[in-house]
Amino acid sequence: MPELPEVEHAARSLRRWLADGPIVRAWAGPTRLLRGGDHRLFARKLRGRSIVSVERRGKLLLLSFDEDVGLLCHLGMTGKWVRSLDPGPAELPQRPRAKRPKSAPAPAAPPHSHARLELRGGAVLHYCDPRLFGRLEVHPASELLGLSVVSSLGPDPLVDRIVVAALHDKLSRTARPVKVAIMDQTVLAGVGNIYATEALFRAKIHPARPSSSLSKREIGRLGEAIVATIALALKRREEDMTYLSEGAENRFLIYDRAGEACPECRRGTLEKITLGGRTSTYCARCQPAR
DNA sequence: ACGGATGTTCGCGC
DNA sequence: CGCGCGAACATCCG
């Protein structure tokens, strides 16, 4: 689920939820989410901790607790934090649930819950991630910002804003397709495939344009489009829970709409190309190649 | 049933 | 060093 707006939404939720702390019990399965870390250490370190701050940098969540305990969390492709009121009986990762009759009791824990923070008062925060592409790492809170995954991030469009001159300077040094460049987390932190696609459409820039070919004016347009795209997605997130794969219809302008008519010019048909291994949708009329 | 999916990271080759 | 490509990770959905 996660690009910058979704991660920001998760950060706001966690900030609210963790304020009910402290954590009376923590648990994680022996999962690869921990990246070689020890699941018993996860439980030991987080038990008893109270939240100090929840920050977001790009797609990363940085949770700082008292006693200098920190948790780094990346949602990968399908990770999310879910709050429930019951921890569930099993001390095992929840596998996908088999179909059961309507009359059967409701499940106690959400599917794919691989780590849990149980708060005083009974709420349980589950980290759920079917594909296990995410990561959860315990570090000293004071060292979170110094981790290379964090310190190597480019400016975050919401936290730092986008400085056109700096972005232009960075893009001028590479011939990579501009879409690949803005998805590079060391160039901008938090932009992924959906919002890169949407922002380039808004800015009327072809996704395959060599980064170095963009004028400063175009970069300015692109920067504004990125911020606007992210702000709109975040607003929608806060208003309702609409997103992909949650029973919601596609609310994006062109993402995943190849073959449909362009919503802007209404004449061209949206096309699809692959850049940097990812699918890109664009309108050849509104986003000319040169 | 097959192909693709919001992300990252690795290895290989040029 | 830059860059592209494909694979890998594990599961779900249409």
Side-chain angles (χ1 to χ4, degrees), chain A residues 1 3-15 54-61 75 156 158-159 230 234 237-238:
Chain A
M1 77 165 213
E3 285 183 39
L4 192 156
E6 294 74 40
V7 181
E8 175 63 22
H9 184 259
R12 293 177 184 182
S13 300
L14 287 171
R15 210 168 278 139
V54 177
E55 291 184 82
R56 181 193 56 75
R57 287 285 190 287
K59 303 173 191 172
L60 283 171
L61 289 166
L75 302 174
D156 181 296
L158 282 199
V159 176
I230 285 171
L234 183 56
R237 255 278 144 159
E238 297 287 310

Side-chain angles (χ1 to χ4, degrees), chain A residues 35-274:
Chain A
R35 297 295 166 87
D38 177 356
H39 64 288
R40 278 153 302 209
L41 181 133
F42 178 94
R44 200 182 329 127
K45 284 287 187 182
L46 287 164
R47 184 182 59 231
R49 301 284 58 79
S50 294
I51 194 67
V52 171
S53 68
V54 177
E55 291 184 82
R56 181 193 56 75
R57 287 285 190 287
K59 303 173 191 172
L60 283 171
L61 289 166
L62 310 176
L63 280 61
S64 296
F65 299 89
D66 58 359
E67 306 285 319
D68 197 31
V69 172
L71 183 63
L72 177 83
C73 174
H74 193 294
L75 302 174
M77 194 89 100
T78 54
K80 59 179 174 182
W81 283 94
V82 176
R83 182 175 177 273
S84 79
L85 294 176
D86 190 295
E91 290 300 276
L92 289 168
Q94 295 294 304
R95 303 305 301 168
R97 198 164 283 104
K99 288 192 171 64
R100 59 193 162 70
K102 259 196 229 165
S103 56
H112 305 290
S113 162
H114 294 281
R116 300 168 198 168
L117 305 175
E118 303 180 25
L119 306 181
R120 186 178 59 200
V124 184
L125 310 185
H126 293 262
Y127 178 74
C128 302
D129 192 345
R131 293 177 71 178
L132 300 177
F133 289 178
R135 68 155 98 181
L136 286 173
E137 293 175 15
V138 176
H139 295 278
S142 55
E143 293 176 13
L144 287 174
L145 290 175
L147 294 170
S148 63
V149 277
V150 181
S151 62
S152 65
L153 290 174
D156 181 296
L158 282 199
V159 176
D160 310 304
R161 314 300 297 179
I162 293 177
V163 177
V164 175
L167 185 57
H168 181 258
D169 186 58
K170 211 165 221 173
L171 295 190
S172 69
R173 300 162 195 267
T174 176
R176 284 187 296 174
V178 60
K179 172 157 175 289
V180 175
I182 61 175
M183 288 174 62
D184 180 339
Q185 301 299 295
T186 70
V187 172
L188 285 178
V191 178
N193 200 31
I194 293 180
Y195 299 114
T197 296
E198 297 286 284
L200 286 162
F201 176 70
R202 266 189 194 250
K204 300 190 189 297
I205 294 169
H206 192 289
R209 288 269 305 278
S211 299
S212 50
S213 77
L214 299 206
S215 69
K216 206 158 185 175
R217 192 145 157 265
E218 289 176 309
I219 304 267
R221 241 196 291 145
L222 179 56
E224 303 216 338
I226 289 170
V227 171
T229 299
I230 285 171
L232 174 63
L234 183 56
K235 180 164 166 282
R236 288 182 172 176
R237 255 278 144 159
E238 297 287 310
E239 285 171 357
D240 54 56
M241 295 298 284
T242 312
Y243 197 66
L244 289 181
S245 81
E246 287 174 13
E249 88 272 38
N250 179 354
R251 297 237 259 150
F252 302 117
L253 293 171
I254 64 165
Y255 174 78
D256 200 27
R257 292 193 187 280
E260 295 183 28
C262 171
E264 180 69 24
C265 70
R266 308 219 152 254
R267 304 169 70 184
T269 300
L270 297 174
E271 293 171 37
K272 186 167 73 169
I273 49 170
T274 298

